[in-house]
Every structure is written in C-alpha cells, then in structure tokens.
Amino acid sequence: NCPQTTQDRLYTHPATCLAIFRSLSETAQQYVMRLLFLVKPFALDALTSWVVNARDKANLDATKQLKSVRLWSVVKLDNGNDGVTLHPNFRKGLTTAMCGGGMSWYGNHQLEPDKKPKTVEFLDSYSKERWECLLQYMVQGNSESDKVSPDIANLLLQSGMINRSGNEHAITSTGFQFLLLDTPSQIWYFMLKYLDKCDTIGLNLTTCLAFIFQLSFSTLGKAYPIGSHGTFVQHLRQIGLVYQRKHTSPWFYPTRHAIDFLSAGSNKSAKEGGFCGGGN
C-alpha cells in the first residue's frame, strides 16, 4: 500500500486519477461523479438518499473502495453533522482529465516524428520474446545470461523467485508458482515487486506509478517521447512492456503487454489495494 504522501502526489496526475476512477465499481463511480463538482462537503445523511438501501452490499463495497484509496473523507460541517468530500488533488486531477486543460501527460516535448515507426505486429512479437527471455532466465540456471539485466536479475532474487549460488541460480517454489500464472498476472505480480523495490535503484515511486497509469491510456503502435523517464523505460524495455530502438532514442512504444496488463489488473488494484491502496 502506498503511503499517504505518495497518494497525495499521485493524485496531482490526471492520468492517475482517470485510471483509478475507471477501476472503481459502478456505484463508486456514481458517488464520485455526484461529488466531483461540489466545492463544499456534502451532508452524509443526504448521501444515503442517493441509494435505495444504504446497507446494500454494492453500496457498502463502493464506500469501502472509496475509503481504501482515500478518494473521500468524512469531515464536520458547520452545523456539527458529518459530511463527505473528495480528495482535493483527485477532484482537480479527474476534472482536468475529463474536461480538458493542463499540460500533455507526456510533457510538451517538441520532437520530430519517428522516421521508422513500428507496426503492431512487430510490437506483439517483441513483447512476447522479451517476456519469454525473463521466464527462460528463471529456469535455465545460468546467471551470466546477457538477456536479463543485473537490476532485473536482482529483483527476481530479492522477490524470492530465484536463489543464487556463485554464477548459478535456481528457481524457487515461489518462482515456480509464478510460472503457472497467466502472462497478465505474471506481469502484474512482477511490477508490484518492482515498485516495492524501485527506491533501492534510485527511482521515485510516485513518478513510476504515474507513468504506468499514463501507459494505460496509450495507443498501441504510437510512439511517445521518453522525457525524464529514461531509466524506468529501460527496465520496462527489458521485460517487453515498451519498445525503444536503442537506449538513446527519444521515443518509445508501449506494447500490448503493458496496456493489457494494466486493464487486467485494474480490478485487482481496487479490490486488493494494488498499486495505491491505503488505509481508511
């Protein structure tokens, strides 16, 4: 679960706010939309009039969702009664995402169009090959393979999916269970482990999370500017979530693995805490 300060910073990114909104249940989305343009807190008693039965499971699950990611909070009104209000950063970010305005999510980078654009077929083949390289590395036992970077290999080790002895490594029971998952679940699990360790390799958790949420709105086959995300893009490139022709290229292409994994994981994020679940 993300610390409160991390969530506060994440909600300054419109793409993050829209991705979180899309992961909510229909009832929770209705609550958000009704509160979105209310500047002042709304009376909690009046809120119950929006539903037929306030004790209905769908309604209870919706309020639990909203609290788990700190999208709303209960405050005291001037008359002493309880009221609810949306997180101010989230309100502003979601309003920007839905109504327009603000800077481009990828920054205002003025770059020439990519002269060698990649096809969807190429990107599909590339992402599959790169992910299979990671899985093969786990089971082959040779830690000197140049197909997996030291950062990715160390993450597998720290996550308990392999253990190492000298130049050799062996897959663990955790790693074997990982192999039995479908590919989107494998990528979801791997990225959770990556984000948990990203500060140990000099990356900012908030920046990485915001970039991941941006990817969920990208278009397959379209090139995007890398900007200040060079190191993170390199790591995503190594596991096939993005394609970059060479490490100096100013462009990258999100692959289907990146887009599908984020879509597949959206329900897990909302139900299990996922990327940015928090306390009540």
Side-chain angles (χ1 to χ4, degrees):
N1 290 344
C2 291
Q4 179 176 332
T5 54
T6 299
Q7 285 184 315
D8 290 343
R9 290 193 297 268
L10 272 175
Y11 293 155
T12 64
H13 298 269
T16 299
C17 297
L18 187 56
I20 294 295
F21 175 79
R22 293 201 313 180
S23 76
L24 298 173
S25 69
E26 183 176 345
T27 302
Q29 289 181 352
Q30 289 291 329
Y31 275 130
V32 169
M33 290 306 300
R34 289 186 177 218
L35 294 171
L36 186 61
F37 298 102
L38 300 181
V39 178
K40 295 182 178 180
F42 189 78
L44 188 58
D45 289 342
L47 199 71
T48 59
S49 68
W50 293 351
V51 294
V52 175
N53 181 5
R55 305 301 299 175
D56 179 74
K57 184 178 184 303
N59 184 63
L60 294 175
D61 288 346
T63 56
K64 182 179 180 180
Q65 266 192 330
L66 293 170
K67 291 177 181 177
S68 72
V69 287
R70 296 182 54 250
L71 291 192
W72 77 0
S73 57
V74 178
V75 298
K76 286 294 181 183
L77 302 176
D78 292 339
N79 60 9
N81 293 333
D82 288 336
V84 293
T85 183
L86 289 181
H87 191 295
N89 292 355
F90 180 83
R91 176 192 285 111
K92 182 178 180 181
L94 186 60
T95 301
T96 299
M98 289 186 167
C99 300
M103 293 179 59
S104 167
W105 293 352
Y106 287 97
N108 296 323
H109 299 281
Q110 302 297 323
L111 298 175
E112 292 295 325
D114 192 352
K115 296 180 180 179
K116 298 180 180 179
K118 295 301 178 183
T119 64
V120 171
E121 292 75 17
F122 172 86
L123 295 173
D124 285 344
S125 175
Y126 169 83
S127 60
K128 181 179 179 180
E129 176 187 351
R130 292 308 307 162
W131 190 251
E132 288 180 350
C133 283
L134 175 71
L135 302 182
Q136 290 169 7
Y137 173 84
M138 292 176 63
V139 300
Q140 70 183 6
N142 181 4
S143 293
E144 294 184 336
S145 171
D146 60 359
K147 293 183 178 180
V148 174
S149 73
D151 282 340
I152 299 300
N154 286 333
L155 178 62
L156 293 173
L157 182 65
Q158 294 169 10
S159 301
M161 289 190 276
I162 62 172
N163 54 39
R164 183 179 294 163
S165 177
N167 290 330
E168 302 296 319
H169 67 258
I171 191 170
T172 64
S173 58
T174 299
F176 183 73
Q177 292 297 319
F178 173 80
L179 294 182
L180 297 179
L181 299 173
D182 58 77
T183 300
S185 296
Q186 286 176 343
I187 297 173
W188 179 261
Y189 181 85
F190 181 89
M191 289 305 299
L192 286 178
K193 295 298 183 182
Y194 178 94
L195 293 167
D196 187 50
K197 303 290 184 182
C198 69
D199 59 332
T200 65
I201 53 178
L203 295 177
N204 180 273
L205 175 60
T206 303
T207 302
C208 291
L209 281 171
F211 187 76
I212 286 173
F213 285 123
Q214 288 174 11
L215 288 178
S216 69
F217 299 101
S218 58
T219 301
L220 190 61
K222 181 178 178 180
Y224 294 88
I226 290 174
S228 60
H229 302 289
T231 300
F232 190 35
V233 167
Q234 287 301 308
H235 290 161
L236 297 180
R237 175 193 187 195
Q238 291 161 16
I239 58 175
L241 268 64
V242 304
Y243 170 80
Q244 185 188 20
R245 184 174 294 107
K246 52 185 179 180
H247 74 275
T248 58
S249 173
W251 296 103
F252 77 93
Y253 292 81
T255 68
R256 195 184 305 274
H257 272 180
I259 299 171
D260 286 354
F261 125 77
L262 290 162
S263 299
S266 62
N267 288 332
K268 297 180 183 179
S269 178
K271 294 178 181 178
E272 302 171 8
F275 285 152
C276 56
N280 293 338

